[in-house]
Amino acid sequence: MLYNFDAVTDRKNTNSMKWDKSNKLFGSDDLINMWVADMDFPCPELVVKAVKERAEYPVYGYSFPPESLYDVIVERLDRVYGWKIKKEWIVFTAGVVNGLYSAVGAFTNPGDEVVVQPPVYYPFFNAVKDNGCQILYNPLAFDGQRYAMDLDNLEELFKTVTTFPARVPRIKMLILCSPHNPVGRVWSKEELAALGEICLKNNCMLISDEIHSELLVGDVQHTVTATISPELEQQTITFLSASKTFNLAGLATSFAVIPNDYWRGEFIKSRAGHNSGNLFGFAALEAAFRHGDEYLRQLLVYLKDNIKFFTGYIESNISGLKVIKPEGTYLVWVDMRKLDMNALELQNFIRCKARLALDDGYAFGPGGEGFQRFNLACPRIVLRAALERLEQAVAAIKVTNIPLNP
């Protein structure tokens, strides 16, 4: 069927985190919401049908994933990424962040160090700190156009330093965002191989969040980190989900792939008492992976056009802003440092003058200051309205020099 992504779906008054929390989180209901990473598009029709069919059976008792769900995951990972896994490697979780918390808790002790590569998805920070561990930053390198992993600096972090200030590393794991949120990089096979070599050499567990792996908007190919080598496969826990690709986040069903038998057992033990998905999430995930290819094909065409429209509009109409061209995700990272505002000024400007609800760059850690993250998974008429608001707000700074704080 043909999906109409131009159609506007009114999500207000549906208990939508994105739209119904606007006043509480951003101080106003008169905002265009382009922050949290879910899409303003309906799910694939066959996913909706599968959930309705399950709902028609009037008993919603305790459930577990059907064998057919394991089978479709195994088939899809092979077909899409060439990754041949065993179904016993799959462990279901109630979301990727839920799984990250379990992984950090299972394989670290309080005081251990966990490497993250900012600016990066901010729940990574909480998963580390809330488990009593120390965040060790390996900031991405940025040349003004494109981001890269600073692998030289990463190697230095693993070295013992005996001169002042002395340092004895306690690094247990590195959390990788692949594709990277918010900067939109899809790491090449060569980059991942170099990263993997460092982790293997230093006995560092690699936790790879690959939730955006099917949302490719550039001329790139996603490489599953664990496919780099058999050795790295045993050293990696991979988190995946259909929630971003097919807009299923509210169904709280994701999964980890853990080839290492011992690690898988420890991960499962750490999840005692945790929810690991639900019967509607299982039905939706299976339907999405089994029947969602055409929806995804059409979605990617629309997202690429949205990114092209967004980038072109800013380049033509809003001087001083710079779009970092994404290779993956429907999230776009925009450099606003030339507006010469501090973090609070920029936040107030976006919310009160441009009347947009975005994710502030500083929340993504070091290197995020002066940036804003836009979610472009919305109808183009909404995107145009947001850009017009932003254009008018930036123009007003230059013309009237209005105060930035309300």
Side-chain angles (χ1 to χ4, degrees):
M1 66 173 293
L2 182 64
Y3 288 93
N4 180 13
F5 296 109
D6 280 324
V8 176
T9 301
D10 185 1
R11 298 182 61 192
K12 291 185 177 180
N13 302 313
T14 63
N15 292 325
S16 164
M17 180 68 72
K18 186 175 184 179
W19 288 94
D20 291 331
K21 289 278 190 177
S22 185
N23 190 56
K24 183 175 182 179
L25 296 175
F26 297 95
S28 174
D29 288 319
D30 182 32
L31 303 177
I32 295 176
N33 289 273
M34 306 177 75
W35 63 288
V36 68
D38 71 5
M39 302 192 291
D40 290 328
F41 307 132
C43 299
E45 185 178 84
L46 289 174
V47 171
V48 177
K49 181 174 182 287
V51 173
K52 286 181 176 178
E53 288 178 351
R54 182 60 188 84
E56 286 175 357
Y57 181 75
V59 180
Y60 307 142
Y62 296 116
S63 63
F64 59 89
E67 282 298 306
S68 56
L69 178 53
Y70 287 94
D71 291 339
V72 78
I73 291 172
V74 170
E75 185 276 332
R76 191 172 189 87
L77 296 188
D78 186 14
R79 176 165 57 88
V80 176
Y81 308 115
W83 189 20
K84 298 184 184 301
I85 71 166
K86 300 176 181 179
K87 63 175 62 177
E88 56 265 30
W89 296 357
I90 300 168
V91 182
F92 287 94
T93 66
V96 165
V97 173
N98 176 278
L100 285 173
Y101 268 80
S102 295
V104 178
F107 301 107
T108 65
N109 295 308
D112 285 341
E113 296 172 326
V114 178
V115 178
V116 296
Q117 302 191 104
V120 73
Y121 183 51
Y122 41 82
F124 286 7
F125 308 139
N126 292 334
V128 176
K129 292 186 293 186
D130 291 349
N131 277 291
C133 294
Q134 304 298 313
I135 298 172
L136 198 57
Y137 293 116
N138 182 50
L140 298 178
F142 182 48
D143 64 5
Q145 300 286 338
R146 197 166 187 259
Y147 285 85
M149 288 187 277
D150 190 342
L151 299 176
D152 291 336
N153 185 68
L154 179 61
E155 288 203 273
E156 291 297 318
L157 295 179
F158 284 100
K159 293 180 179 179
T160 298
V161 179
T162 56
T163 57
F164 184 82
R167 166 173 162 72
V168 178
R170 294 186 60 181
I171 301 172
K172 288 294 180 67
M173 65 174 57
L174 181 148
I175 305 178
L176 174 69
C177 200
S178 179
H180 193 93
N181 170 12
V183 308
R185 273 301 316 277
V186 174
W187 308 116
S188 69
K189 186 174 183 179
E190 291 73 24
E191 288 171 304
L192 293 172
L195 175 70
E197 183 179 346
I198 294 171
C199 289
L200 287 169
K201 182 171 63 176
N202 292 282
N203 195 28
C204 175
M205 175 182 283
L206 188 52
I207 307 297
S208 192
D209 173 3
E210 306 194 16
I211 195 171
H212 291 276
S213 57
E214 294 203 62
L215 293 166
L216 303 180
V217 294
D219 186 20
V220 292
Q221 182 175 350
H222 177 78
T223 299
V224 173
T225 308
T227 64
I228 295 295
S229 69
E231 295 78 17
L232 191 59
E233 185 177 66
Q234 288 292 310
Q235 191 100 353
T236 302
I237 294 177
T238 306
F239 287 103
L240 291 159
S241 177
S243 61
K244 302 303 180 189
T245 311
F246 300 104
N247 213 22
L248 310 178
L251 294 174
T253 303
S254 300
F255 59 95
V257 181
I258 312 177
N260 186 299
D261 293 337
Y262 175 75
W263 286 2
R264 188 168 61 256
E266 292 300 299
F267 181 81
I268 291 171
K269 282 198 296 185
S270 76
R271 294 188 55 73
H274 285 244
N275 182 26
S276 295
N278 62 80
L279 57 89
F280 295 112
F282 298 145
L285 172 56
E286 181 171 348
F289 275 6
R290 198 176 295 282
H291 305 297
D293 286 355
E294 180 56 26
Y295 174 94
L296 177 58
R297 187 192 67 78
Q298 294 180 39
L299 172 66
L300 290 177
V301 170
Y302 195 86
L303 291 177
K304 289 175 184 178
D305 286 344
N306 263 6
I307 292 168
K308 182 179 180 180
F309 175 77
F310 180 84
T311 303
Y313 192 104
I314 288 180
E315 290 177 347
S316 300
N317 301 290
I318 313 178
S319 61
L321 272 56
K322 185 175 187 178
V323 178
I324 309 306
K325 187 176 179 181
E327 298 169 336
T329 83
Y330 47 68
L331 307 167
V332 176
W333 192 234
V334 178
D335 186 348
M336 298 189 178
R337 290 175 296 176
K338 286 190 177 180
L339 296 181
D340 195 26
M341 302 180 190
N342 64 36
L344 183 58
E345 289 171 339
L346 182 56
Q347 181 184 82
N348 286 334
F349 170 74
I350 291 296
R351 298 179 185 183
C352 302
K353 305 303 180 183
R355 293 177 296 128
L356 301 176
L358 308 177
D359 276 303
D360 297 309
Y362 71 84
F364 296 89
E369 304 86 351
F371 290 77
Q372 292 283 314
R373 191 190 77 171
F374 289 73
N375 177 350
L376 302 194
C378 61
R380 198 152 304 134
I381 190 172
V382 176
L383 181 56
R384 178 183 287 277
L387 285 164
E388 289 173 351
R389 288 187 181 191
L390 184 59
E391 179 185 9
Q392 292 166 8
V394 172
I397 297 174
K398 299 175 181 178
V399 173
T400 64
N401 195 28
I402 56 175
L404 298 175
N405 293 312

